[in-house]
């Protein structure tokens, strides 16, 4: 399952690859910056790793494949870990 990447500019870009080059292209296309960008994903070894490699904040949701234990085992640590994508949506809505 592809997880969306959200920003305050209200657009969504989908990624299903650990390659940070796609993130860099999205940042450039939307005239954004790494500081304004966050990647939301459920896979430590692809989603979260790509975000970290691209130098952006990451949100890992535990409603998918990844676990907190896996982050510790792989030593790949997201910026934030949340229970599910619904929590992310609530946070985005509250920030408007």
């Amino acid at each position: 399952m592809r997880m969306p990447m959200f920003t305050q500019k209200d657009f969504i870009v989908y990624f299903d690859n650990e390659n940070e080059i796609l993130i860099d292209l999205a940042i450039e296309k939307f005239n954004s910056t790494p500081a304004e960008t966050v990647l939301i994903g459920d896979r430590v070894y692809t989603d979260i790793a790509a975000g970290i490699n691209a130098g952006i904040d990451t949100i890992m949701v535990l409603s998918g494949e990844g676990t907190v234990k896996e982050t510790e085992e792989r030593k790949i640590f997201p910026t934030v870990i949340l229970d599910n994508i619904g929590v992310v949506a609530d946070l985005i809505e509250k920030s408007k």
Side-chain angles (χ1 to χ4, degrees):
M1 180 173 159
R2 299 178 302 166
M3 295 304 293
M5 177 177 140
F6 294 91
T7 75
Q8 291 182 341
K9 294 181 182 180
D10 293 323
F11 60 83
I12 302 171
V13 178
Y14 289 93
F15 297 102
D16 55 2
N17 187 311
E18 70 278 4
N19 192 338
E20 70 273 9
I21 293 171
L22 295 174
I23 296 168
D24 294 337
L25 289 172
I27 290 170
E28 181 180 325
K29 176 169 177 56
F30 293 104
N31 196 29
S32 191
T33 67
E36 298 172 312
T37 306
V38 63
L39 185 133
I40 304 166
D42 68 335
R43 294 182 180 169
V44 174
Y45 59 93
T46 56
D47 304 332
I48 304 307
I52 290 170
N53 290 339
I56 63 173
D57 286 334
T58 57
I59 300 174
M60 182 174 150
V61 291
L62 298 176
S63 53
E65 181 179 304
T67 64
V68 173
K69 181 179 178 185
E70 184 181 9
T71 66
E72 295 164 356
E73 290 171 351
R74 292 180 182 267
K75 299 189 182 344
I76 299 174
F77 301 102
T79 308
V80 177
I81 299 175
L82 299 173
D83 287 335
N84 58 62
I85 196 74
V87 176
V88 177
D90 290 344
L91 291 172
I92 292 169
E93 189 61 34
K94 288 178 186 176
S95 72
K96 291 182 178 181

